Amino acid sequence: MEAQHTAAHAIETVFRLESPRVVAGVARIVRDVGIAEELAQDALVAALERWPRDGVPDNPGAWLMATARHRAVDLVRRRETYARKLAEIGRNLPVAAPPLEPADPDDIDDDLLRLVFTTCHPALSPEARIALTLRLLGGLSTAEIARAHLVPEATVAQRIVRAKRTLATRNVAFEVPYGPDREARLGSVLDVIYLIFNEGYAATAGDDLLRPGLCEDALRLARLLSGLMPKEPEVHGLTALLEFQASRTAARTAPDGTPVLLKDQNRRRWNRMLIARGIRALARADATATGAPGPYALQAAIAACHAHAYSYAETDWRAIATLYTLLAARAPSPVVELNRAVAVSMAEGPAEALELVDALAGEPALRDYHLLPSVRADLLTRLGRPAEARTEFERAASLTRNERERALLLRRAAEAG
């Protein structure tokens, strides 16, 4: 009984770690991510049948890969045999051969990278990209994805099924795009990874502020992409940003799960190893850049300013404000302007920042964004206007769907009053 439990645990662990490589390796053979996932699941079933009886192999990942590939080859052979038999009786069944890939010196022959670009194809909606990426590359089950995004499991299942169908019906090539097409697609890949991390770092809704599993999955994908695309500065920029952000995780909540503001965090709990990794990744982004830094590299540079400060008082807010000005020019958005206002409040004072925040009041994108009234409330508190601050904190609390954030905002409203 104990041996069976050990084998089952090993299978679960190995499959979560190795399933992206298995799916990617098989997809190169069958040219269909949906079928590739089914074959990977078949290999898992075979492992569940054999490993408890025969023992866990010395290299379980290779065992899963070999089993899935054998089944993929058998499937392709059956298809070819079927097509040949139809041809023999005079039926014309076109069999599309995999498109030839250009012999480009910039070619990246890695199945995992192909899978990343396939799951993040622009033909899919952002929600579908995230769900499919988490499923195939993050190793998450449909139920786990549903819990992470607080949507019904059936909704996630439909997104994944439709995404696979879209890729199949549009005959999306299982390949890394080249030249301008790669550059256009890379932004989508990075954005999906960033969104996954953000949902784990500050959950949109639910009872917990953090979902560490999502942060870990996104960081793993970013590191993977950084290793597979060493000449892309924005890949390194995103990796650096996530390393820096992840380094603060342990200090962002109290033992009871209550959020801890940046100024109150115990920086001794920040992970110095992750900070060091972030510094190295940011250096690689700078070394590979041929022009002005991209949005992720700029955000990583801002995060580095926080990481280098051993206390909140030592933070170089002027440098952060300058970096936000550059980011606003490179990737303008109301959220960037709101963050810039926070930095300006620390560098120049709350009165100057309040003017910037009030100028954002009419932005449609921020209409239901709880951090806008939250930032305004903080500035009003510092300006000695507690009654107005309390109203803004209460408004922010009414807008957030995260219970931990709501409790914090209501507590700050009470303190302001």
Side-chain angles (χ1 to χ4, degrees), residues 206-227:
D207 297 328
D208 298 315
L209 178 69
L210 303 175
R211 293 195 178 95
L214 289 181
C215 291
E216 292 167 5
D217 287 323
L219 186 52
R220 183 171 62 83
L221 289 175
R223 289 170 178 169
L224 169 68
L225 205 58
S226 185

Side-chain angles (χ1 to χ4, degrees), residues 190-209:
L190 299 180
D191 288 347
V192 166
I193 295 174
Y194 182 61
L195 287 172
I196 293 170
F197 183 90
N198 270 359
E199 183 59 30
Y201 190 72
T204 305
D207 297 328
D208 298 315
L209 178 69

Side-chain angles (χ1 to χ4, degrees), residues 54-97:
D54 302 337
V56 178
D58 292 336
N59 191 335
W63 190 98
L64 288 170
M65 179 70 81
T67 302
R69 279 182 169 169
H70 285 320
R71 297 183 183 219
V73 170
D74 288 342
L75 177 63
V76 171
R77 284 173 178 166
R78 287 198 299 273
R79 285 176 174 174
E80 292 174 349
T81 300
Y82 179 64
R84 188 165 55 250
K85 287 182 178 179
L86 287 178
E88 288 172 358
I89 62 174
R91 295 282 299 275
N92 181 24
L93 179 68
V95 181

Side-chain angles (χ1 to χ4, degrees), residues 203-286:
T204 305
D207 297 328
D208 298 315
L209 178 69
L210 303 175
R211 293 195 178 95
L214 289 181
C215 291
E216 292 167 5
D217 287 323
L219 186 52
R220 183 171 62 83
L221 289 175
R223 289 170 178 169
L224 169 68
L225 205 58
S226 185
L228 297 175
M229 303 184 72
K231 297 180 181 179
E232 293 289 348
E234 274 293 80
V235 172
H236 297 304
L238 175 64
T239 304
L241 174 61
L242 302 194
E243 299 280 11
F244 286 131
Q245 298 290 75
S247 72
R248 306 178 202 166
T249 301
R252 293 189 66 235
T253 56
D256 64 354
T258 303
V260 179
L261 298 175
L262 179 63
K263 65 183 179 66
D264 299 324
Q265 288 177 16
N266 179 357
R267 301 196 174 204
R268 288 192 297 273
R269 299 191 67 197
W270 287 9
N271 189 315
R272 306 313 299 185
M273 182 188 73
L274 292 180
I275 290 174
R277 292 181 66 111
I279 292 171
R280 289 195 295 271
L282 184 56
R284 286 192 290 270
D286 293 338

Side-chain angles (χ1 to χ4, degrees), residues 13-140:
T13 302
V14 170
F15 192 75
R16 182 179 286 268
L17 293 173
E18 297 293 337
S19 61
R21 297 182 183 278
V22 175
V23 172
V26 173
R28 180 166 53 85
I29 299 172
V30 299
R31 317 299 289 190
D32 186 306
V33 294
I35 295 174
E37 187 186 15
E38 291 176 7
L39 293 170
Q41 291 289 339
D42 287 345
L44 172 62
V45 171
L48 288 168
E49 293 173 350
R50 289 189 177 181
W51 292 8
R53 182 190 66 214
D54 302 337
V56 178
D58 292 336
N59 191 335
W63 190 98
L64 288 170
M65 179 70 81
T67 302
R69 279 182 169 169
H70 285 320
R71 297 183 183 219
V73 170
D74 288 342
L75 177 63
V76 171
R77 284 173 178 166
R78 287 198 299 273
R79 285 176 174 174
E80 292 174 349
T81 300
Y82 179 64
R84 188 165 55 250
K85 287 182 178 179
L86 287 178
E88 288 172 358
I89 62 174
R91 295 282 299 275
N92 181 24
L93 179 68
V95 181
L100 294 175
E101 297 175 2
D104 192 293
D106 197 27
D107 183 25
I108 302 176
D109 185 19
D110 190 282
D111 293 335
L112 272 170
L113 188 58
R114 295 167 191 258
L115 185 59
V116 171
F117 275 90
T118 301
T119 59
C120 293
H121 194 279
L124 306 178
S125 68
E127 295 82 6
R129 294 175 203 167
I130 292 173
L132 192 59
T133 303
L134 281 174
R135 172 73 173 177
L136 298 183
L137 284 133
L140 273 67

Side-chain angles (χ1 to χ4, degrees), residues 362-384:
E363 287 287 347
L366 301 181
R367 184 179 59 189
D368 297 323
Y369 189 53
H370 70 284
L371 291 182
L372 177 61
S374 174
V375 169
R376 193 169 190 275
D378 186 66
L379 297 176
L380 290 168
T381 299
R382 291 166 58 191
L383 288 169

